Amino acid sequence: MLQPLSRVEEALRDTLAHKASGRALTRLGRFFGARRLENFIDGAWRRALRAVAYGARATPGTTGDFLEGAFSASNLEWGVTLDPAAPQNVTRVSGDVAAFTCEHVGKLARVKLLPASALPLESGLPARLWPRVSGLFLVEALVSPVGGASQVIKLCPVDTAQWRRADWSTGAFEVSTNALYQGATLEILPWFPIDSASAAKVTVYLDGSIVTGPPTYLLDPGGVDRTSIDANLPRGGIVMDEFNLDGDDPAPTPDGDQINGPHPIYLTGEAQQRVSRIFDGLLASGVKGEIVTRDWC
Amino acid sequence: MPQGFGSNQAPDWGFGDVEPSPWDGVVRSWGFGDVAPLATLPVSIEGEAGQVFPDDGGEIVTLIAPWPAVGPYRVRLIASGGAAFPTGGFCTAPLVVRLGAIVARDNPQVCFTGAARRRLSFILPPLPVDLYSVEVTRNGEVTTLFNALRVVFRQRCIEDYRIRSAFPGNYTTGPRALSLERTTRPPHGPLEALTRSFGQNAQQLAGRPVTRLGADWTPGDVTVTLESALGWPTSGAFWLAGVRWTYEGINTTTGTLSDVWPSSRQFVTIAEGQEVVCDASAVEPS
């Protein structure tokens, strides 16, 4: 037996939203009305599908679970240190991934740490990697950026009494005094929701690079030369003249070039719309949901 | 990027190309219709990296490459000490997989690819536990995958014993309980081989990986040594001595599970040879 799972177990798992993988997971998603995008990995899509399938519609928790799950593979992580003397500040461990920039400000973040209460670690004891995970903070500002990048971010730009007391030194989030266990992980989420109650609308801003599709758009006025608007404007989709109805001589090529264009019209930018449709379906009737991609800087 | 005949971008590989070929960096184009030497083929074994095979044989191994012809090929396995298997000539599959079906051949020592000339399959014979190089020969040309195939001790199969227990006591069915199993000898004898085959199929259909404890476990040890960790996940859980244990790491070569933790504290030594069952239901999807 070269695999741990028997065929019966595999067949059973293919029917379960929380255990299926690969094509079975995609098929299950279709049954629940959530068509999977190719760029969602199994783990992320499974989390999203669980929210869609088993979550209560029109509840903030379910919509949050869906967004958390669907985009979990795009979360950014840093090794950081927490300073009880300046609890609002989160400092990047030098030598870790790139420094903080304006792209990270205005996003939601959480801190995962090994608190003093979980120490000493007993060898062999099965434990969660991070025994303590904080709630969500908002990344408010960069501290002393040099060349647009900073080693420190602020979870609150002003020094308040509340923050002075929440100094990572007591209770469940007490940071160990042992230098070996002082490191923590900062996780920044790539999406940010705005609930406009008066407009009955929930807008989720998403990193532009996550859900992308081939560009298709209409220029205004129609038929204008795109380079007359901007020399760097990308080419859009085009309806291919398969039958040379215009009678061009020589006839245009029936197939578009996928790199240089013209890009056939079937290359639509549908990816983002599909996520929007699923998200919209999770909200209460009458509440409009939309996902908007944006550059954060 | 176009790389066909007449392309103005390297590598061309077409007839008359002036670029050295990517195969060896020296020879110019093999030319239109030419067949690249066997030794230059990028050959790999189908399956996950680091996968291991049992020592009692029977597993189908598939070599993936753009094979120049359907066949015939001869495949043999070279042990780390240099011994070739089977000894006395080119080994190979007593059966071959062709066009998706296993077919018997008049000459059991030759293998053929499928019609797409992509997959060359053979069936492993019983082999000593070792790391093997795979040597493929055709028309005197040879290509070798060095240290490409690791053979470890076989899994046990509870279903074997259940089937054997249905036979009358005087039938030579082989061991009828896990504790009676021999350590090294592969199954042999018609009834033993048949029941083993049926048992393995039943196990693959609805069973779980089963093995024996390879060494005594004493309280406080954070590792458990198995007879074989074939088919076990890289981390997970198992049942031993009536208790569920978890583990965090595995070494399939030595059959060692690391960072083990029993669900209830153990105060006595567990003797070698005890049944160990992988808790497959605990395997989490990726």
Side-chain angles (χ1 to χ4, degrees):
Chain A
M1 196 168 187
L2 299 181
Q3 301 294 328
L5 299 182
S6 67
R7 290 171 196 166
V8 169
E9 176 75 17
E10 281 180 2
L12 173 68
R13 289 184 173 212
D14 283 352
T15 65
L16 303 173
H18 62 292
K19 293 229 168 161
S21 58
R23 292 174 63 187
L25 184 65
T26 306
R27 196 168 55 241
L28 277 178
R30 267 208 316 271
F31 293 153
F32 287 114
R35 284 176 61 200
R36 178 183 184 174
L37 303 181
E38 294 296 332
N39 58 343
F40 285 109
I41 61 171
D42 271 9
W45 190 242
R46 193 179 296 114
R47 283 182 62 182
L49 192 58
R50 283 168 59 185
V52 170
Y54 304 122
R57 188 184 170 204
T59 55
T62 297
T63 50
D65 284 348
F66 170 74
L67 293 169
E68 275 257 17
F71 302 116
S72 57
S74 304
N75 290 352
L76 299 172
E77 288 197 341
W78 279 263
V80 294
T81 54
L82 305 169
D83 181 9
Q88 308 99 317
N89 291 0
V90 176
T91 307
R92 163 183 170 262
V93 175
S94 71
D96 203 1
V97 289
F100 301 115
T101 65
C102 57
E103 293 170 13
H104 309 122
V105 177
K107 287 182 175 171
L108 297 172
R110 63 164 63 91
V111 176
K112 299 188 278 192
L113 76 159
L114 194 61
S117 56
L119 299 174
L121 294 175
E122 192 167 351
S123 174
L125 180 69
R128 295 172 63 184
L129 183 59
W130 297 107
R132 198 68 64 192
V133 178
S134 77
L136 288 172
F137 294 104
L138 182 65
V139 178
E140 294 273 10
L142 300 176
V143 176
S144 324
V146 178
S150 170
Q151 306 301 316
V152 185
I153 56 168
K154 272 189 180 294
L155 302 180
C156 177
V158 290
D159 188 14
T160 65
Q162 255 183 325
W163 270 101
R164 271 203 300 278
R165 192 68 190 91
D167 60 357
W168 312 103
S169 67
T170 54
F173 287 93
E174 179 187 350
V175 178
S176 168
T177 52
N178 184 336
L180 189 62
Y181 301 114
Q182 279 182 339
T185 289
L186 180 78
E187 187 177 65
I188 294 185
L189 310 185
W191 51 273
F192 188 84
I194 293 179
D195 185 354
S196 310
S198 57
K201 185 176 176 184
V202 178
T203 305
V204 173
Y205 290 105
L206 188 68
D207 259 358
S209 57
I210 293 178
V211 185
T212 56
T216 293
Y217 53 89
L218 295 175
L219 296 180
D220 186 21
V224 68
D225 181 2
R226 65 181 174 84
T227 55
S228 67
I229 299 173
D230 187 330
N232 295 320
L233 204 61
R235 293 176 173 85
I238 187 170
V239 179
M240 305 301 295
D241 189 0
E242 300 271 355
F243 304 106
N244 190 20
L245 297 177
D246 288 347
D248 290 342
D249 186 21
T253 171
D255 298 312
D257 184 312
Q258 304 300 320
I259 297 169
N260 299 314
H263 306 284
I265 196 71
Y266 58 77
L267 292 178
T268 65
E270 198 211 354
Q272 177 197 333
Q273 295 161 17
R274 204 185 292 177
V275 180
S276 282
R277 273 203 296 274
I278 302 170
F279 177 66
D280 192 33
L282 289 173
L283 301 175
S285 299
V287 179
K288 174 73 180 163
E290 64 175 4
I291 293 182
V292 179
T293 56
R294 63 175 284 187
D295 292 328
W296 233 261
C297 288
Chain B
M1 178 185 296
Q3 294 183 348
F5 175 71
S7 164
N8 59 355
Q9 297 178 56
D12 176 359
W13 305 355
F15 174 69
D17 182 24
V18 294
E19 303 270 345
S21 75
W23 292 299
D24 58 8
V26 177
V27 179
R28 306 276 165 136
S29 167
W30 302 111
F32 177 72
D34 195 3
V35 178
L38 209 57
T40 62
L41 290 182
V43 185
S44 61
I45 294 182
E46 187 180 56
E48 295 172 9
Q51 91 175 302
V52 293
F53 295 91
D55 67 338
D56 55 349
E59 295 294 337
I60 296 174
V61 180
T62 301
L63 303 172
I64 304 290
W67 298 105
V70 171
Y73 296 91
R74 287 169 187 265
V75 183
R76 68 174 184 168
L77 303 167
I78 313 293
S80 57
F85 288 88
T87 54
F90 285 115
C91 132
T92 61
L95 302 169
V96 295
V97 179
R98 192 171 189 194
L99 300 178
I102 297 177
V103 292
R105 297 198 57 81
D106 293 340
N107 183 350
Q109 294 193 328
V110 295
C111 294
F112 290 84
T113 69
R117 292 186 295 174
R118 178 83 183 146
R119 298 155 57 86
L120 177 65
S121 299
F122 62 98
I123 296 178
L124 278 186
L127 293 163
V129 172
D130 203 346
L131 182 61
Y132 290 86
S133 299
V134 183
E135 188 182 87
V136 183
T137 309
R138 174 178 173 266
N139 289 345
E141 290 185 59
V142 180
T143 185
T144 306
L145 272 80
F146 292 100
N147 300 332
L149 194 146
R150 184 175 290 283
V151 172
V152 299
F153 193 70
R154 76 200 78 113
Q155 276 285 342
R156 301 302 185 179
C157 185
I158 294 296
E159 289 77 0
D160 289 357
Y161 313 122
R162 292 185 184 144
I163 295 170
R164 288 170 187 168
S165 64
F167 285 86
N170 58 339
Y171 278 47
T172 313
T173 58
R176 298 189 181 206
L178 185 64
S179 55
L180 301 175
E181 277 283 9
R182 291 141 300 193
T183 310
T184 53
R185 195 170 65 83
H188 80 134
L191 206 50
E192 185 174 349
L194 268 176
T195 50
R196 167 84 174 158
S197 176
F198 290 144
Q200 281 186 324
N201 273 287
Q203 186 190 43
Q204 284 173 12
L205 181 66
R208 294 182 292 182
V210 177
T211 187
R212 296 196 301 182
L213 200 58
D216 289 356
W217 181 88
T218 50
D221 284 354
V222 293
T223 61
V224 161
T225 304
L226 305 178
E227 213 175 49
S228 170
L230 189 68
W232 286 54
T234 52
S235 67
F238 61 94
W239 292 88
L240 169 63
V243 174
R244 188 173 183 269
W245 305 51
T246 56
Y247 68 96
E248 298 293 323
I250 193 169
N251 184 330
T252 48
T253 307
T254 60
T256 309
L257 306 178
S258 51
D259 290 336
V260 297
W261 193 259
S263 57
S264 69
R265 192 157 186 183
Q266 300 295 297
F267 296 99
V268 295
T269 298
I270 302 173
E272 176 185 350
Q274 291 286 314
E275 177 183 296
V276 187
V277 182
C278 177
D279 188 355
S281 61
V283 176
E284 290 295 329
S286 59

